[in-house]
Amino acid sequence: MGTDGRGGLRPGKGSPEGVTAGKGNTEEVSATPPAAAASASCQYRCIECNQEAKELYRDYNHGVLKITICKSCQKPVDKYIEYDPVIILINAILCKAQAYRHILFNTKINMHGKLCIFCLLCEAYLRWWQLQDSSQNTDPDDFIRYAKEWDFYRMFAIASLEQAAFFIGIFTFLWIEGTIATKKNPNFVLLLKALLLSSYGKLLLIPAVIWEHEYTPLCLRLIKLFVLTSNFQAIRVTLNTRRKLSFVAIVCGLLAESAMVHFFRRMEWDIGSDCAGYKSQDF
């Protein structure tokens, strides 16, 4: 976006598609029914104070736009509608709460399922690669190749169950805490979407494997830490809660995931004795 010399804004190519629904037309505001207006007021959030907002900007004809000012904090409701998507991504990587609110509340992103599947494939490939690296079996027999293919499917199933256990641990703690403290349960659907989106750091697993070097184990630990930090920020922003509560929720998720890992070890379904070095890398 840019200024047009009259205090307004012109739409720019960097504006994300998800904010197009946030414009308001001055000619249509008076004709909006009270019930519809009340419903629309819950559609967006101020990225600074997390207060609900009816619109992100107004369209004053001829493509002149003006960003809405939040009535609570007197700041722009969402300054990121002017920013290039690359800048928004960088701010999200830096785990800024404002960027997370923009992505979670003020944009329309429907790639949660696809991103989840792709992240699980990346994690399954990492496990499968480490399993093959530890087996040192060079037999070209078709049966061996078939078995290795099923090893990948097994790693994908295990990665899916461990991630499910991680989410269940978080949801269980938040449900118990919400029931006891506020008598109100959080929006688990929105929280699930936030957790899935904030797990995008797992995509870095593939470059870490492709460009393997002596620091690969350290890189894997750093990626794990980055994903957990992103999950922490997603919980904090989605529920508008304290850092302490978000941290405890992440710890409960890790405990549930560790219990699932221990179960697989006992059942010898995981890499276990075939690749004992995998779990030592904490991923």
Side-chain angles (χ1 to χ4, degrees):
M1 288 187 182
T3 58
D4 64 347
R6 293 179 293 174
L9 295 170
R10 294 193 304 270
K13 62 181 180 180
S15 301
E17 297 179 358
V19 300
T20 55
K23 65 182 181 180
N25 192 316
T26 54
E27 298 177 357
E28 298 175 355
V29 172
S30 59
T32 303
S39 175
S41 64
C42 302
Q43 190 173 3
Y44 305 105
R45 297 283 184 88
C46 173
I47 64 172
E48 301 293 342
C49 64
N50 201 45
Q51 291 296 315
E52 296 176 350
K54 181 179 178 181
E55 58 191 7
L56 301 179
Y57 57 89
R58 288 198 174 192
D59 188 351
Y60 289 94
N61 297 325
H62 306 295
V64 179
L65 307 178
K66 184 176 181 180
I67 294 181
T68 304
I69 301 299
C70 177
K71 297 179 180 179
S72 177
C73 63
Q74 301 302 315
K75 294 181 180 180
V77 171
D78 192 345
K79 63 182 180 181
Y80 284 113
I81 62 176
E82 297 183 90
Y83 288 21
D84 190 89
V86 176
I87 303 299
I88 299 174
L89 177 60
I90 292 175
N91 285 323
I93 292 175
L94 295 175
C95 293
K96 291 188 175 182
Q98 292 89 344
Y100 272 70
R101 291 191 183 102
H102 167 78
I103 295 171
L104 295 176
F105 298 123
N106 299 338
T107 60
K108 296 179 180 179
I109 299 178
N110 298 314
M111 55 179 293
H112 311 86
K114 295 179 181 178
L115 180 61
C116 176
I117 295 298
F118 197 66
C119 289
L120 289 174
L121 287 173
C122 292
E123 190 168 352
Y125 177 77
L126 171 64
R127 299 180 181 215
W128 179 81
W129 168 76
Q130 292 176 327
L131 176 62
Q132 305 311 313
D133 187 60
S134 66
S135 62
Q136 300 296 332
N137 193 331
T138 58
D139 192 338
D141 187 80
D142 290 340
F143 178 77
I144 299 298
R145 289 196 294 268
Y146 179 78
K148 289 183 177 181
E149 179 181 349
W150 276 103
D151 281 338
F152 177 80
Y153 299 144
R154 180 164 61 98
M155 294 302 104
F156 180 83
I158 291 174
S160 302
L161 291 174
E162 289 181 4
Q163 178 166 289
F166 177 71
F167 289 161
I168 290 173
I170 292 176
F171 293 156
T172 301
F173 167 77
L174 292 174
W175 178 77
I176 295 174
E177 194 278 337
T179 302
I180 296 176
T182 62
K183 308 296 182 181
K184 182 179 179 181
N185 293 325
N187 186 343
F188 287 122
V189 175
L190 179 60
L191 180 58
L192 177 61
K193 292 180 178 180
L195 288 172
L196 292 176
L197 285 177
S198 62
S199 298
Y200 67 93
K202 292 183 179 181
L203 301 178
L204 298 173
L205 292 173
I206 297 302
V209 172
I210 294 176
W211 290 286
E212 182 187 6
H213 49 75
E214 58 181 330
Y215 296 109
T216 297
L218 176 61
C219 290
L220 297 179
R221 288 191 177 94
L222 292 176
I223 292 173
K224 177 70 172 180
L225 179 61
F226 174 72
V227 172
L228 291 177
T229 303
S230 299
N231 293 154
F232 165 86
Q233 191 70 302
I235 295 173
R236 177 171 169 260
V237 167
T238 304
L239 304 182
N240 194 28
T241 187
R242 307 182 307 275
R243 290 185 175 89
K244 182 179 179 181
L245 182 65
S246 301
F247 177 77
V248 176
I250 292 295
V251 171
C252 290
L254 287 175
L255 290 175
E257 182 181 10
S258 299
M260 184 66 70
V261 171
H262 180 70
F263 171 76
F264 287 142
R265 284 183 176 179
R266 291 291 298 272
M267 299 297 294
E268 297 183 353
W269 292 349
D270 206 345
I271 297 174
S273 58
D274 295 330
C275 185
Y278 171 77
K279 289 301 178 183
S280 65
Q281 294 180 5
D282 295 329
F283 220 112

